[in-house]
């Protein structure tokens, strides 16, 4: 892009933006950005979520999910991790933070936001346009466009360009990763997870993430436990905690499978007060799940569940007739 912009005589400011996710970053990620910025002579802007890094976000989400379950603000225990269909790690920690920084830096100027996505990467990205208006950032006084200039590039051209520039990240050059994002990413292959675990600087974050798996009973990647990636890095107490978490996860899922479909979350939940029979069933499941996960939950009897639903419905802006 630097070569292209020079060739077409672009004279406006150019910056690189790195959204730093904190402890989950590869040690070489920020230095790689700094080397690139120095090599092409662009300013490097580093942005971070002020409320804490990604591990803090996952831990905070788990604490909030436990509180919600205890207060019967949900009927199932909610996963703490980002997921492929719920990538708040990208939307909250990268896209939103970068967009805010651009809006503040260039309040009344047109912005061309350049990204490196490629159609070869995924089915979703195959359908992305070469360029588009950024509707989130465009205002009456400022046009913002997203441009994906290497969208047609094959992976071989990417590797060649990086190598020729002398900018190969240590995750590739030293540890054999096939992609660089978070050290342990929800989208990583087992090979990339193992590559990350082979780097000594990543051992502390690995143990911290496995600890959240053990406390929450939710595997990091759906059915794939991060604890299985490098169990030799865990002490005996943590391995026992993970074993207990697996058993608890299995029982939690079996219990929650008994929940009638009409009690599960839908938009506008809760939509009605459960019958006496359904309330007793829900209370029974809550008692057992709460004991499994060590949650100090309220509303553990049928009558208490029905009363809680009445309160939740009464607090909604649009009241629903309560039987």
């Amino acid at each position: 892009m630097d070569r292209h912009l020079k060739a077409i005589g672009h004279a406006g400011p150019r910056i690189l933006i790195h959204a730093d996710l904190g402890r989950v970053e590869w040690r070489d990620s920020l230095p790689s950005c700094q080397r690139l910025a120095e090599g092409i002579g662009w300013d490097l802007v580093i942005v971070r979520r002020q409320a804490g890094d990604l591990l803090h976000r996952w831990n905070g989400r788990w604490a909030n999910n436990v509180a919600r379950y205890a207060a019967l603000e949900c009927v199932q225990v909610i996963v703490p991790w980002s997921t492929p269909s719920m990538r708040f790690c990208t939307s909250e920690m990268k896209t939103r933070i970068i967009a805010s920084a651009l809006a503040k830096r260039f309040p009344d100027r047109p912005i061309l936001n350049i990204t490196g996505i490629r159609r070869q990467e995924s089915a979703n990205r195959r359908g992305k346009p070469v360029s588009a208006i950024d509707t989130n950032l465009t205002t009456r006084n400022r046009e913002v466009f997203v441009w994906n200039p290497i969208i047609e590039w094959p992976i071989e051209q990417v590797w060649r360009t990086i190598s020729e520039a002398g900018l190969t990240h240590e995750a590739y050059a030293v540890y054999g990763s096939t992609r660089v994002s978070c050290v342990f990413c929800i989208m990583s292959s087992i090979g990339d997870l193992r590559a990350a675990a082979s780097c000594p600087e990543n051992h502390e974050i690995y143990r911290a993430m496995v600890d959240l798996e053990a406390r929450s009973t939710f595997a990091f990647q759906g059915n794939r436990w991060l604890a299985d990636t490098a169990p030799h890095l865990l002490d005996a107490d943590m391995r026992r905690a993970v074993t207990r978490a697996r058993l608890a996860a299995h029982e939690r899922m079996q219990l929650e499978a008994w929940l009638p479909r009409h009690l599960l979350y839908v938009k506008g939940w809760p939509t009605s007060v459960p019958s006496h029979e359904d309330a007793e069933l829900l209370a029974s499941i809550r008692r057992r799940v709460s004991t499994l996960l060590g949650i100090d939950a309220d509303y553990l009897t049928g009558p208490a569940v029905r009363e809680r639903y009445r309160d939740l419905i009464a607090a909604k802006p649009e009241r629903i007739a309560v039987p």
Side-chain angles (χ1 to χ4, degrees):
M1 284 312 309
D2 182 58
R3 290 194 295 266
H4 176 73
L5 292 175
K6 287 177 179 175
I8 64 173
H10 175 264
R14 310 171 198 169
I15 63 170
L16 298 171
I17 297 189
H18 172 57
D20 190 339
L21 304 189
R23 289 165 287 178
V24 301
E25 293 269 6
W26 278 89
R27 176 188 63 179
D28 195 39
S29 288
L30 178 55
S32 287
C33 296
Q34 292 168 330
R35 291 193 296 270
L36 174 59
E38 291 166 4
I40 62 176
W42 294 21
D43 289 336
L44 174 63
V45 177
I46 302 166
V47 295
R48 299 179 178 89
R49 176 176 175 264
Q50 294 302 306
D53 68 9
L54 183 53
L55 181 59
H56 186 275
R57 176 69 174 90
W58 283 330
N59 278 315
R61 176 177 163 85
W62 176 241
N64 290 336
N65 292 348
V66 167
R68 289 180 62 191
Y69 189 81
L72 189 46
E73 294 175 357
C74 56
V75 294
Q76 294 173 293
V77 185
I78 302 171
V79 58
W81 309 107
S82 329
T83 68
S85 62
M86 184 178 58
R87 293 178 61 186
F88 57 83
C89 48
T90 298
S91 60
E92 290 183 18
M93 308 292 294
K94 295 182 182 182
T95 306
R96 190 178 303 169
I97 306 299
I98 289 173
S100 176
L102 287 173
K104 290 176 182 176
R105 194 177 187 93
F106 306 111
D108 299 311
R109 301 184 67 174
I111 298 171
L112 186 60
N113 187 15
I114 299 168
T115 75
I117 68 170
R118 298 178 304 107
R119 292 202 167 110
Q120 191 185 54
E121 293 176 300
S122 68
N124 180 55
R125 291 186 173 182
R126 275 197 292 274
K128 293 291 185 180
V130 174
S131 64
I133 295 174
D134 187 329
T135 55
N136 293 320
L137 271 177
T138 295
T139 67
R140 185 168 54 186
N141 299 320
R142 179 186 62 226
E143 282 189 309
V144 181
F145 296 89
V146 176
W147 185 19
N148 305 312
I150 66 167
I151 197 164
E152 302 289 359
W153 277 26
I155 186 61
E156 294 78 13
Q157 190 171 358
V158 175
W159 286 123
R160 186 168 59 252
T161 302
I162 293 172
S163 178
E164 289 172 353
L167 293 169
T168 305
H169 193 292
E170 70 169 9
Y172 302 126
V174 179
Y175 299 102
S177 288
T178 64
R179 65 192 293 271
V180 172
S181 50
C182 294
V183 169
F184 301 103
C185 174
I186 59 167
M187 309 291 285
S188 288
S189 67
I190 184 63
D192 284 346
L193 292 176
R194 288 171 178 161
S198 70
C199 174
E201 286 79 13
N202 298 337
H203 292 176
E204 183 178 352
I205 187 63
Y206 174 74
R207 295 186 185 100
M209 292 172 66
V210 170
D211 175 68
L212 181 53
E213 281 189 314
R215 287 186 286 116
S216 69
T217 72
F218 282 93
F220 180 56
Q221 292 183 329
N223 293 323
R224 180 187 288 165
W225 291 76
L226 187 60
D228 290 339
T229 301
H232 61 283
L233 298 179
L234 308 174
D235 62 23
D237 286 343
M238 183 55 70
R239 289 196 294 271
R240 283 192 290 269
V242 170
T243 297
R244 289 192 296 270
R246 292 179 196 272
L247 295 173
H250 179 71
E251 188 171 351
R252 169 178 54 76
M253 289 186 287
Q254 284 191 318
L255 288 167
E256 291 184 340
W258 283 99
L259 288 166
R261 181 175 294 274
H262 62 270
L263 290 185
L264 301 181
Y265 178 83
V266 294
K267 185 177 181 179
W269 181 92
T271 57
S272 64
V273 175
S275 67
H276 290 282
E277 181 180 5
D278 283 345
E280 290 293 345
L281 175 60
L282 178 54
S284 172
I285 292 171
R286 284 177 57 78
R287 289 194 297 271
R288 295 169 68 182
V289 170
S290 297
T291 299
L292 271 176
L293 274 65
I295 298 175
D296 184 16
D298 296 318
Y299 313 109
L300 301 179
T301 67
V305 165
R306 283 173 54 82
E307 186 60 31
R308 176 58 172 161
Y309 269 73
R310 290 191 182 95
D311 290 343
L312 289 169
I313 290 171
K316 293 173 67 171
E318 296 180 6
R319 302 288 177 88
I320 298 172
V322 179

PDB file of all heavy atoms in Angstrom, residues 169-194:
ATOM      1  N   HIS A 169       6.878 -12.495  11.337  1.00  0.00           N
ATOM      2  CA  HIS A 169       6.561 -12.578  12.763  1.00  0.00           C
ATOM      3  C   HIS A 169       7.180 -13.851  13.346  1.00  0.00           C
ATOM      4  O   HIS A 169       7.267 -14.884  12.692  1.00  0.00           O
ATOM      5  CB  HIS A 169       5.033 -12.622  12.902  1.00  0.00           C
ATOM      6  CG  HIS A 169       4.496 -12.402  14.272  1.00  0.00           C
ATOM      7  ND1 HIS A 169       4.667 -13.290  15.304  1.00  0.00           N
ATOM      8  CD2 HIS A 169       3.738 -11.378  14.784  1.00  0.00           C
ATOM      9  CE1 HIS A 169       4.051 -12.842  16.384  1.00  0.00           C
ATOM     10  NE2 HIS A 169       3.484 -11.680  16.093  1.00  0.00           N
ATOM     11  N   GLU A 170       7.609 -13.772  14.618  1.00  0.00           N
ATOM     12  CA  GLU A 170       8.252 -14.938  15.224  1.00  0.00           C
ATOM     13  C   GLU A 170       7.300 -16.131  15.352  1.00  0.00           C
ATOM     14  O   GLU A 170       7.758 -17.284  15.394  1.00  0.00           O
ATOM     15  CB  GLU A 170       8.804 -14.592  16.610  1.00  0.00           C
ATOM     16  CG  GLU A 170       7.748 -14.353  17.688  1.00  0.00           C
ATOM     17  CD  GLU A 170       8.350 -14.272  19.081  1.00  0.00           C
ATOM     18  OE1 GLU A 170       9.585 -14.238  19.202  1.00  0.00           O
ATOM     19  OE2 GLU A 170       7.566 -14.236  20.059  1.00  0.00           O
ATOM     20  N   ALA A 171       6.003 -15.873  15.390  1.00  0.00           N
ATOM     21  CA  ALA A 171       5.053 -16.986  15.464  1.00  0.00           C
ATOM     22  C   ALA A 171       5.186 -17.890  14.242  1.00  0.00           C
ATOM     23  O   ALA A 171       5.020 -19.106  14.332  1.00  0.00           O
ATOM     24  CB  ALA A 171       3.623 -16.460  15.573  1.00  0.00           C
ATOM     25  N   TYR A 172       5.491 -17.285  13.084  1.00  0.00           N
ATOM     26  CA  TYR A 172       5.724 -18.056  11.868  1.00  0.00           C
ATOM     27  C   TYR A 172       7.155 -18.601  11.827  1.00  0.00           C
ATOM     28  O   TYR A 172       7.379 -19.785  11.604  1.00  0.00           O
ATOM     29  CB  TYR A 172       5.507 -17.183  10.625  1.00  0.00           C
ATOM     30  CG  TYR A 172       4.148 -16.556  10.494  1.00  0.00           C
ATOM     31  CD1 TYR A 172       3.998 -15.190  10.310  1.00  0.00           C
ATOM     32  CD2 TYR A 172       2.997 -17.341  10.535  1.00  0.00           C
ATOM     33  CE1 TYR A 172       2.747 -14.609  10.169  1.00  0.00           C
ATOM     34  CE2 TYR A 172       1.739 -16.773  10.391  1.00  0.00           C
ATOM     35  CZ  TYR A 172       1.621 -15.399  10.215  1.00  0.00           C
ATOM     36  OH  TYR A 172       0.388 -14.834  10.070  1.00  0.00           O
ATOM     37  N   ALA A 173       8.102 -17.695  12.014  1.00  0.00           N
ATOM     38  CA  ALA A 173       9.508 -18.023  11.777  1.00  0.00           C
ATOM     39  C   ALA A 173      10.085 -18.980  12.814  1.00  0.00           C
ATOM     40  O   ALA A 173      10.910 -19.829  12.489  1.00  0.00           O
ATOM     41  CB  ALA A 173      10.335 -16.733  11.750  1.00  0.00           C
ATOM     42  N   VAL A 174       9.642 -18.854  14.058  1.00  0.00           N
ATOM     43  CA  VAL A 174      10.236 -19.644  15.149  1.00  0.00           C
ATOM     44  C   VAL A 174       9.344 -20.793  15.577  1.00  0.00           C
ATOM     45  O   VAL A 174       9.826 -21.910  15.816  1.00  0.00           O
ATOM     46  CB  VAL A 174      10.547 -18.731  16.361  1.00  0.00           C
ATOM     47  CG1 VAL A 174      11.146 -19.546  17.504  1.00  0.00           C
ATOM     48  CG2 VAL A 174      11.480 -17.599  15.955  1.00  0.00           C
ATOM     49  N   TYR A 175       8.026 -20.544  15.656  1.00  0.00           N
ATOM     50  CA  TYR A 175       7.141 -21.533  16.272  1.00  0.00           C
ATOM     51  C   TYR A 175       6.234 -22.278  15.294  1.00  0.00           C
ATOM     52  O   TYR A 175       5.491 -23.169  15.701  1.00  0.00           O
ATOM     53  CB  TYR A 175       6.314 -20.855  17.378  1.00  0.00           C
ATOM     54  CG  TYR A 175       7.210 -20.290  18.459  1.00  0.00           C
ATOM     55  CD1 TYR A 175       7.490 -18.929  18.519  1.00  0.00           C
ATOM     56  CD2 TYR A 175       7.826 -21.137  19.381  1.00  0.00           C
ATOM     57  CE1 TYR A 175       8.343 -18.415  19.489  1.00  0.00           C
ATOM     58  CE2 TYR A 175       8.682 -20.629  20.352  1.00  0.00           C
ATOM     59  CZ  TYR A 175       8.937 -19.272  20.397  1.00  0.00           C
ATOM     60  OH  TYR A 175       9.788 -18.771  21.353  1.00  0.00           O
ATOM     61  N   GLY A 176       6.271 -21.915  14.025  1.00  0.00           N
ATOM     62  CA  GLY A 176       5.563 -22.694  13.014  1.00  0.00           C
ATOM     63  C   GLY A 176       4.074 -22.473  12.932  1.00  0.00           C
ATOM     64  O   GLY A 176       3.347 -23.337  12.420  1.00  0.00           O
ATOM     65  N   SER A 177       3.570 -21.333  13.397  1.00  0.00           N
ATOM     66  CA  SER A 177       2.144 -21.035  13.274  1.00  0.00           C
ATOM     67  C   SER A 177       1.784 -20.793  11.809  1.00  0.00           C
ATOM     68  O   SER A 177       2.622 -20.370  11.006  1.00  0.00           O
ATOM     69  CB  SER A 177       1.769 -19.789  14.089  1.00  0.00           C
ATOM     70  OG  SER A 177       1.798 -20.055  15.465  1.00  0.00           O
ATOM     71  N   THR A 178       0.520 -21.026  11.486  1.00  0.00           N
ATOM     72  CA  THR A 178       0.038 -20.732  10.136  1.00  0.00           C
ATOM     73  C   THR A 178      -0.737 -19.426  10.080  1.00  0.00           C
ATOM     74  O   THR A 178      -1.055 -18.943   8.992  1.00  0.00           O
ATOM     75  CB  THR A 178      -0.868 -21.863   9.617  1.00  0.00           C
ATOM     76  OG1 THR A 178      -2.045 -21.941  10.440  1.00  0.00           O
ATOM     77  CG2 THR A 178      -0.146 -23.199   9.644  1.00  0.00           C
ATOM     78  N   ARG A 179      -1.069 -18.867  11.248  1.00  0.00           N
ATOM     79  CA  ARG A 179      -1.760 -17.580  11.298  1.00  0.00           C
ATOM     80  C   ARG A 179      -1.435 -16.924  12.632  1.00  0.00           C
ATOM     81  O   ARG A 179      -1.107 -17.609  13.602  1.00  0.00           O
ATOM     82  CB  ARG A 179      -3.284 -17.739  11.142  1.00  0.00           C
ATOM     83  CG  ARG A 179      -3.946 -18.495  12.259  1.00  0.00           C
ATOM     84  CD  ARG A 179      -5.387 -18.868  11.918  1.00  0.00           C
ATOM     85  NE  ARG A 179      -6.253 -17.705  11.812  1.00  0.00           N
ATOM     86  CZ  ARG A 179      -6.912 -17.178  12.848  1.00  0.00           C
ATOM     87  NH1 ARG A 179      -6.779 -17.697  14.051  1.00  0.00           N
ATOM     88  NH2 ARG A 179      -7.703 -16.145  12.670  1.00  0.00           N
ATOM     89  N   VAL A 180      -1.515 -15.610  12.662  1.00  0.00           N
ATOM     90  CA  VAL A 180      -1.244 -14.866  13.896  1.00  0.00           C
ATOM     91  C   VAL A 180      -2.462 -14.016  14.236  1.00  0.00           C
ATOM     92  O   VAL A 180      -2.914 -13.207  13.436  1.00  0.00           O
ATOM     93  CB  VAL A 180      -0.008 -13.955  13.749  1.00  0.00           C
ATOM     94  CG1 VAL A 180       0.119 -13.047  14.979  1.00  0.00           C
ATOM     95  CG2 VAL A 180       1.243 -14.784  13.592  1.00  0.00           C
ATOM     96  N   SER A 181      -2.985 -14.249  15.404  1.00  0.00           N
ATOM     97  CA  SER A 181      -4.049 -13.400  15.944  1.00  0.00           C
ATOM     98  C   SER A 181      -3.771 -13.326  17.438  1.00  0.00           C
ATOM     99  O   SER A 181      -2.703 -12.874  17.837  1.00  0.00           O
ATOM    100  CB  SER A 181      -5.422 -13.988  15.628  1.00  0.00           C
ATOM    101  OG  SER A 181      -5.476 -15.351  15.992  1.00  0.00           O
ATOM    102  N   CYS A 182      -4.709 -13.781  18.260  1.00  0.00           N
ATOM    103  CA  CYS A 182      -4.379 -13.971  19.660  1.00  0.00           C
ATOM    104  C   CYS A 182      -3.460 -15.186  19.764  1.00  0.00           C
ATOM    105  O   CYS A 182      -3.438 -16.057  18.892  1.00  0.00           O
ATOM    106  CB  CYS A 182      -5.633 -14.219  20.494  1.00  0.00           C
ATOM    107  SG  CYS A 182      -6.739 -12.807  20.567  1.00  0.00           S
ATOM    108  N   VAL A 183      -2.717 -15.262  20.846  1.00  0.00           N
ATOM    109  CA  VAL A 183      -1.853 -16.418  21.069  1.00  0.00           C
ATOM    110  C   VAL A 183      -2.680 -17.703  20.972  1.00  0.00           C
ATOM    111  O   VAL A 183      -2.342 -18.632  20.229  1.00  0.00           O
ATOM    112  CB  VAL A 183      -1.167 -16.302  22.441  1.00  0.00           C
ATOM    113  CG1 VAL A 183      -0.489 -17.609  22.805  1.00  0.00           C
ATOM    114  CG2 VAL A 183      -0.144 -15.171  22.436  1.00  0.00           C
ATOM    115  N   PHE A 184      -3.748 -17.750  21.762  1.00  0.00           N
ATOM    116  CA  PHE A 184      -4.693 -18.860  21.701  1.00  0.00           C
ATOM    117  C   PHE A 184      -6.022 -18.257  21.243  1.00  0.00           C
ATOM    118  O   PHE A 184      -6.667 -17.528  21.986  1.00  0.00           O
ATOM    119  CB  PHE A 184      -4.832 -19.546  23.061  1.00  0.00           C
ATOM    120  CG  PHE A 184      -3.532 -20.090  23.582  1.00  0.00           C
ATOM    121  CD1 PHE A 184      -2.838 -19.428  24.588  1.00  0.00           C
ATOM    122  CD2 PHE A 184      -2.993 -21.246  23.046  1.00  0.00           C
ATOM    123  CE1 PHE A 184      -1.630 -19.920  25.054  1.00  0.00           C
ATOM    124  CE2 PHE A 184      -1.779 -21.745  23.505  1.00  0.00           C
ATOM    125  CZ  PHE A 184      -1.095 -21.075  24.509  1.00  0.00           C
ATOM    126  N   CYS A 185      -6.399 -18.567  20.005  1.00  0.00           N
ATOM    127  CA  CYS A 185      -7.545 -17.922  19.376  1.00  0.00           C
ATOM    128  C   CYS A 185      -8.693 -18.907  19.251  1.00  0.00           C
ATOM    129  O   CYS A 185      -8.477 -20.105  19.028  1.00  0.00           O
ATOM    130  CB  CYS A 185      -7.131 -17.398  18.000  1.00  0.00           C
ATOM    131  SG  CYS A 185      -8.486 -16.708  17.018  1.00  0.00           S
ATOM    132  N   ILE A 186      -9.918 -18.415  19.355  1.00  0.00           N
ATOM    133  CA  ILE A 186     -11.092 -19.273  19.193  1.00  0.00           C
ATOM    134  C   ILE A 186     -11.160 -19.885  17.804  1.00  0.00           C
ATOM    135  O   ILE A 186     -11.848 -20.885  17.596  1.00  0.00           O
ATOM    136  CB  ILE A 186     -12.393 -18.499  19.484  1.00  0.00           C
ATOM    137  CG1 ILE A 186     -12.527 -17.289  18.542  1.00  0.00           C
ATOM    138  CG2 ILE A 186     -12.451 -18.075  20.952  1.00  0.00           C
ATOM    139  CD1 ILE A 186     -13.892 -16.654  18.549  1.00  0.00           C
ATOM    140  N   MET A 187     -10.429 -19.294  16.839  1.00  0.00           N
ATOM    141  CA  MET A 187     -10.441 -19.793  15.465  1.00  0.00           C
ATOM    142  C   MET A 187      -9.212 -20.645  15.139  1.00  0.00           C
ATOM    143  O   MET A 187      -9.076 -21.132  14.022  1.00  0.00           O
ATOM    144  CB  MET A 187     -10.512 -18.619  14.479  1.00  0.00           C
ATOM    145  CG  MET A 187     -11.611 -17.621  14.751  1.00  0.00           C
ATOM    146  SD  MET A 187     -13.250 -18.293  14.454  1.00  0.00           S
ATOM    147  CE  MET A 187     -13.268 -18.295  12.667  1.00  0.00           C
ATOM    148  N   SER A 188      -8.300 -20.818  16.095  1.00  0.00           N
ATOM    149  CA  SER A 188      -7.047 -21.513  15.823  1.00  0.00           C
ATOM    150  C   SER A 188      -7.250 -23.000  15.576  1.00  0.00           C
ATOM    151  O   SER A 188      -8.103 -23.641  16.206  1.00  0.00           O
ATOM    152  CB  SER A 188      -6.083 -21.347  17.001  1.00  0.00           C
ATOM    153  OG  SER A 188      -5.576 -20.044  17.086  1.00  0.00           O
ATOM    154  N   SER A 189      -6.420 -23.554  14.710  1.00  0.00           N
ATOM    155  CA  SER A 189      -6.354 -25.004  14.545  1.00  0.00           C
ATOM    156  C   SER A 189      -5.603 -25.606  15.724  1.00  0.00           C
ATOM    157  O   SER A 189      -4.912 -24.892  16.467  1.00  0.00           O
ATOM    158  CB  SER A 189      -5.617 -25.345  13.251  1.00  0.00           C
ATOM    159  OG  SER A 189      -4.248 -24.955  13.352  1.00  0.00           O
ATOM    160  N   ILE A 190      -5.702 -26.917  15.889  1.00  0.00           N
ATOM    161  CA  ILE A 190      -4.974 -27.567  16.971  1.00  0.00           C
ATOM    162  C   ILE A 190      -3.482 -27.391  16.774  1.00  0.00           C
ATOM    163  O   ILE A 190      -2.720 -27.236  17.735  1.00  0.00           O
ATOM    164  CB  ILE A 190      -5.360 -29.070  17.074  1.00  0.00           C
ATOM    165  CG1 ILE A 190      -4.671 -29.711  18.281  1.00  0.00           C
ATOM    166  CG2 ILE A 190      -5.025 -29.814  15.791  1.00  0.00           C
ATOM    167  CD1 ILE A 190      -5.071 -29.136  19.615  1.00  0.00           C
ATOM    168  N   GLY A 191      -3.027 -27.380  15.502  1.00  0.00           N
ATOM    169  CA  GLY A 191      -1.611 -27.171  15.237  1.00  0.00           C
ATOM    170  C   GLY A 191      -1.131 -25.809  15.695  1.00  0.00           C
ATOM    171  O   GLY A 191      -0.047 -25.680  16.281  1.00  0.00           O
ATOM    172  N   ASP A 192      -1.939 -24.774  15.454  1.00  0.00           N
ATOM    173  CA  ASP A 192      -1.554 -23.429  15.876  1.00  0.00           C
ATOM    174  C   ASP A 192      -1.639 -23.267  17.390  1.00  0.00           C
ATOM    175  O   ASP A 192      -0.857 -22.520  17.987  1.00  0.00           O
ATOM    176  CB  ASP A 192      -2.418 -22.388  15.173  1.00  0.00           C
ATOM    177  CG  ASP A 192      -1.999 -22.177  13.728  1.00  0.00           C
ATOM    178  OD1 ASP A 192      -0.897 -22.616  13.351  1.00  0.00           O
ATOM    179  OD2 ASP A 192      -2.784 -21.578  12.961  1.00  0.00           O
ATOM    180  N   LEU A 193      -2.583 -23.945  18.022  1.00  0.00           N
ATOM    181  CA  LEU A 193      -2.639 -23.910  19.485  1.00  0.00           C
ATOM    182  C   LEU A 193      -1.379 -24.525  20.076  1.00  0.00           C
ATOM    183  O   LEU A 193      -0.799 -24.009  21.045  1.00  0.00           O
ATOM    184  CB  LEU A 193      -3.873 -24.664  19.982  1.00  0.00           C
ATOM    185  CG  LEU A 193      -5.235 -24.045  19.677  1.00  0.00           C
ATOM    186  CD1 LEU A 193      -6.354 -24.966  20.160  1.00  0.00           C
ATOM    187  CD2 LEU A 193      -5.387 -22.667  20.318  1.00  0.00           C
ATOM    188  N   ARG A 194      -0.947 -25.645  19.503  1.00  0.00           N
ATOM    189  CA  ARG A 194       0.269 -26.300  20.002  1.00  0.00           C
ATOM    190  C   ARG A 194       1.507 -25.450  19.727  1.00  0.00           C
ATOM    191  O   ARG A 194       2.423 -25.391  20.551  1.00  0.00           O
ATOM    192  CB  ARG A 194       0.409 -27.675  19.359  1.00  0.00           C
ATOM    193  CG  ARG A 194      -0.603 -28.683  19.886  1.00  0.00           C
ATOM    194  CD  ARG A 194      -0.588 -29.966  19.086  1.00  0.00           C
ATOM    195  NE  ARG A 194      -1.540 -30.942  19.628  1.00  0.00           N
ATOM    196  CZ  ARG A 194      -2.012 -31.977  18.956  1.00  0.00           C
ATOM    197  NH1 ARG A 194      -1.608 -32.195  17.693  1.00  0.00           N
ATOM    198  NH2 ARG A 194      -2.878 -32.804  19.516  1.00  0.00           N
TER     199      ARG A 194
END
